[in-house]
Amino acid sequence: MPQNAPSFAELLEQTQTSAVHLEMRDSYGVPSEADSFASFLRGEWSEASQRAERSNWLNMVSAATARGVVMRRARIISEPVSDYIRYEHAGTQMNIDAGEQVRWLPRRRAFDIALPGTDFWLFDGRLVQLHNWTGTGDWHPEEPKVRTEDPAMVKLCASAFESVWERGIPHDQYAV
């Protein structure tokens, strides 16, 4: 991305109607989550500590949804779920409390959906931010995110997200 490109927080602040996020990995290796995930695996994870760690994100979601932005997140997951997906599931209620809507779709129910090759955010149905991951689930060092308003990419991402959303199971109805 160009150096003068807006940050994610700035993009979300500029969003007027919708921000949708599709996640398709069964695990991520983002360094900022490493301690929290390790704590979860040891059985020492608590929602209270997570709220503090995620306060910036939760505040951004709350601010966006308070001004009318609809935020939806869909996750395509393999079953049985990975430890990382159990970790994500455990923390999802915080996102919902902040205003996000979240659904889960078992991968076996997504086989016939045309999907882009990676996770993405779609802002206001016009701007896609594609995520470029390494094999270990961390941001790719040279080009972690790619943004485009290419109509074909926007159409693919919007269609993929809506198909996943339609089939997805609301968070409160999906048990891991």
Side-chain angles (χ1 to χ4, degrees), residues 150-173:
D150 174 67
M153 182 58 75
V154 167
K155 181 179 179 181
L156 171 63
C157 291
S159 175
F161 184 86
E162 293 306 327
S163 293
V164 170
W165 188 258
E166 180 179 300
R167 295 180 191 185
I169 301 164
H171 175 72
D172 64 350
Q173 296 172 28

Side-chain angles (χ1 to χ4, degrees), residues 76-175:
I76 298 174
I77 52 164
S78 299
E79 292 178 317
V81 300
S82 66
D83 287 340
Y84 187 86
I85 294 301
R86 286 187 315 104
Y87 163 73
E88 278 194 328
H89 191 273
T92 294
Q93 189 59 50
M94 291 180 279
N95 292 43
I96 291 168
D97 293 345
E100 241 186 301
Q101 301 170 42
V102 179
R103 292 190 181 179
W104 304 83
L105 182 64
R107 195 169 308 280
R108 70 182 184 281
R109 294 180 55 200
F111 288 163
D112 62 340
I113 299 173
L115 299 165
T118 191
D119 298 2
F120 64 86
W121 278 93
L122 175 59
F123 300 95
D124 287 334
R126 65 164 187 79
L127 174 67
V128 176
Q129 177 172 288
L130 299 159
H131 294 192
N132 191 7
W133 302 103
T134 65
T136 57
D138 194 3
W139 300 112
H140 194 282
E142 282 106 43
E143 196 170 30
K145 300 168 193 132
V146 175
R147 293 181 183 156
T148 181
E149 293 184 59
D150 174 67
M153 182 58 75
V154 167
K155 181 179 179 181
L156 171 63
C157 291
S159 175
F161 184 86
E162 293 306 327
S163 293
V164 170
W165 188 258
E166 180 179 300
R167 295 180 191 185
I169 301 164
H171 175 72
D172 64 350
Q173 296 172 28
Y174 186 76

